[in-house]
Amino acid sequence: MILPYMRVLQGIAASSGIGIGRAFLYVHEKFVVPHTLIGDMKIESEKVRFQVALSAVAKDLLAMVEDAAKDDHRKILETHLLMLEDPDFFQSVETLITDENLCAEWAVEQVLHGLIERLETAGDPVLRERSADLYDIGWRVIRQMMGKQQVDLSAIHGDAVLIADTLLPSEALMLNPNHIKAIALNGGGRTSHVAILARALQIPTVVGLGKVTEKVHQGDEVIVDGNLGEVAIRPSVASAAKMRDRYDRWIEHERKLHEIVALEAVTKDGHKISLKANIETVEEIDSVLDNGADGIGLFRSEFLFLKPGGATEEEQFVAYKEVLEKLSNIGPVTIRTIDVGGDKVIPGMEGLGEENPILGWRAVRFCLSRKDIFRVQLRALLRASVYGKLKIMFPMISGPEELENVHMVLEQVKEEFRSSNQPFDEEIEVGIMVEVPSAALCADILAPKTDFFSIGTNDLIQYTIAVDRGNEKIAYLYQPFHPGVLRLINMIVKKGHHAGIPVAMCGEMAGDPLSTVLLLGMGIDEFSMSPQSLLEVKHIIRSVSLAEARELVEKVMAMDSCVNINTYVREWMYARFGDFVTA
Ligand code: PEP
Ligand code: MG
């Protein structure tokens, strides 16, 4: 038989490493949900059928929680259980059965679509991808009612590369990393739960490949490069040899990186940098600790609000306390107050259907007009503050009045604590994200009024270049090395230092090894990033001197285009650190 030629597909690198094996092809069976209108006589029995299915799925999930070997696996299953037990979900389905006479499967599908649509129209990719969890749990219930079994992925053995259209979180939990050498998916993004789990399991993964399932045959040899985001199908002998060589070098590179896990991020001329982690969920703490972070530089607290109805004070308190306690011997934890509203729609907290949500009602703007929600969060934070070293950070501050207003609310909540003798840390540092150009431009005014700055490059680049960070059509304009962006960052650092406050960075740029030396030279004091990037960035910091980093900045700041800056920095970094850094 003549096999089709080798193909190399480019996707999104979701979990680093290189995996080689034989394809195990898994495409989800498409089944049609019955859309039957039931008679009034059947309403009660249909509700019972729904309740029985819910109980059966809950029982399965509970058994899986008990068997879960890893903390983060258990937490995801528990999240699913919570979604399943959500009274709003239950009520909405029963209402559709009773009022609209929909059969139970159809009612669940309808409710699910509504919830998923809201999450998927969210501008925040992280929230958008949480719809996979809802989809997962909803379809479990529908499958249960239709008597369809879930495929047992835990039975895959040999050195396999899992090629799938998509992978639900509950399916990812079944994977055995001893047998699954890599994963390649048609859909998904870097921040999906599947990607988080793949990173926790250390399975090299590439997502967002389009139609990889149509290009691979069962049993084909496949090489997945989770660093470059490349998937080679039926590689030629020469390509396979090249990729295997890269694989060997990668393993060696990783081994060396792990040797520095306990060492400080200090330059050759003795300048110390703080390296912290960004997390979205409590379950990521293990990987924060495994990668030697000095603390948490950004906890995106809006994640706790994913379920309908948001998060109660108690639920938030428990989550904040857990993170603070786990980090208490390591370093501070910076928790950002919720960055929702506008396009970041969270079930039960819908906006006003704004025409321009990116410039609309979000983050502190939302919090200042929904003080009920804001004060609950501040209370939970203050209560948790006695369990570790908490720092509070406000997102999307655009100017001094807004800063004054959020401080005022915080002060009122503190006063309530004082008058009722409730303990909290009086020394909590309170800082702001600098991610709106107006805040950057008046950094000199804001700096004396705050304890620290943390530059949010994801939004700062979006607003400075006027380029929607989620729009693929104009993604070419989204340039961290735009001279305008670099000038702003440089200015924020200078103004912050002039006022004597530390300047951190927690946008994606802080974890991009290509930017490390440049940011170091500009004077960033703290880099906060996804835990997986920490060791690479630390290695770079330990390999250069602050003096040469400053020279690089001087050179780059005199350049007149993104292309020139990109080329120059890439060549500089390649000469020093090779292809794993400049990929
Ligand atoms: C940023 O804007 O850089 C940032 C860290 O916040 P988010 O990505 O959550 O908007
Ligand atoms: Mg932001």
Side-chain angles (χ1 to χ4, degrees), residues 213-227:
T213 48
E214 290 175 17
K215 291 169 184 150
V216 177
H217 301 103
Q218 190 78 3
D220 274 350
E221 186 179 15
V222 180
I223 305 181
V224 173
D225 187 328
N227 309 322

Side-chain angles (χ1 to χ4, degrees), residues 198-254:
R199 288 197 283 272
L201 291 166
Q202 297 183 17
I203 302 178
T205 299
V206 176
V207 297
L209 283 156
K211 293 186 176 163
V212 62
T213 48
E214 290 175 17
K215 291 169 184 150
V216 177
H217 301 103
Q218 190 78 3
D220 274 350
E221 186 179 15
V222 180
I223 305 181
V224 173
D225 187 328
N227 309 322
L228 292 178
E230 253 176 40
V231 175
I233 306 160
R234 301 174 292 274
S236 63
V237 175
S239 305
K242 219 163 106 191
M243 286 184 89
R244 277 177 204 277
D245 171 57
R246 205 179 138 76
Y247 173 71
D248 293 341
R249 287 193 298 116
W250 163 255
I251 295 288
E252 182 53 17
H253 178 71
E254 281 289 284

